[in-house]
Amino acid sequence: LQASSEADKKRWTLNDFDIGKPLGRGKFGHVYLAREKRSNHIVALKVLFKNQLKQSQVEHQLRREVEIQSHLRHPNILRLYGYFYDQKRVYLILEYAAKGELYKELQKCKYFSERRAATYVASLARALIYCHGKHVIHRDIKPENLLVGAQGELKIADFGWSVHTFNRRRTMCGTLDYLPPEMVESVEHDASVDIWSLGVLCFEFLYGMPPFEAKEHSDTYRRIVQVDLKFPAKPVVSSAAKDLISQMLVKDSSQRLPLKKVLEHPWIVQNADPSGIYKG
Ligand SMILES: CC(C)NC(=O)[C@H]1CCC[C@H]1Nc1nc(Nc2ccc(C(=O)N(C)C3CCN(C)CC3)cc2)ncc1C(F)(F)F
């Protein structure tokens, strides 16, 4: 698509696109496969209803997130090419991830092999190092927010909702599982919240469930703030993987393993495919 410096330099309209099949439902509307007519470029078109955005007071957050997202350029971060709106809807022109939603793949496989998990964790660590380098945090990296590109590469695709779910609303409806202690206790937090969430994600990749899961929210809260980390006996997971997870799920955010050190951890070095692509 027209690589403009600002996503909104080009005035896009619906007429610029042929709309294809629906890809599924996002929180505030549907996502469609679409083709930009001039370039024949395939994209995903996310349609958000203005009245729903208004009801949930997310318009300004969406605007800020679109602003951030349109300036991020990384192979493991889903591109936002631009946006436009009409009377009732906002349309986001997004990169199409050909292999769909990672959480569905995780549900299907139950849990991933150590090589697959390590490859994904390494590519996410690289994406987060890039984001932190641009002072962008809260890339809400739970499985539901990860998509898979045509070559099997992971794409962080959460823009918008991480800010939305991140504030008090997340404690109302979104999953708590990924919240680090300082967010559960709603005290100051910084980029190290993403190290915690990556640790939670690594655990869920290997065991098929997040580490502090509990029936009641109050129990999940308690398990998080107490860092009640227990590794199940099954499936069998290497001690190197458990060591890495234990160094990321640390209550004191300043003591969490820095992302650069995550990439140097023996478990990652020995298991992650350097290309960031899991070849099975
Ligand atoms: C991160 C965010 C929270 N999630 C989302 O936005 C979700 C909400 C709905 C779709 C997805 N959003 C996107 N999805 C894709 N690709 C894609 C998705 C699904 C399939 C798939 O498995 N089917 C169509 C299958 C095909 C088989 N049938 C049976 C079921 C659906 C294949 C490719 N690319 C970009 C986006 C994006 F993000 F740009 F919008």
Side-chain angles (χ1 to χ4, degrees), residues 21-26 31 44-46 78-79 94-101 104 144-148 157-159 161:
K21 68 172 184 178
L23 292 171
R25 289 178 52 78
V31 180
L45 204 59
K46 191 168 242 187
L78 199 79
R79 279 293 309 281
L94 291 152
E95 177 183 357
Y96 170 60
K99 289 200 170 154
E101 299 172 276
K104 285 186 182 170
E144 295 75 13
N145 285 343
L146 301 175
L147 298 173
V148 188
D158 70 306
F159 72 91
W161 314 135

Side-chain angles (χ1 to χ4, degrees), residues 181-182 196 227 245-257:
E182 63 273 23
W196 174 278
V227 193
I245 292 169
S246 306
Q247 291 197 61
M248 300 173 84
L249 298 184
V250 174
K251 173 137 188 167
D252 178 349
S253 60
S254 67
Q255 297 308 305
R256 288 172 199 157
L257 194 64

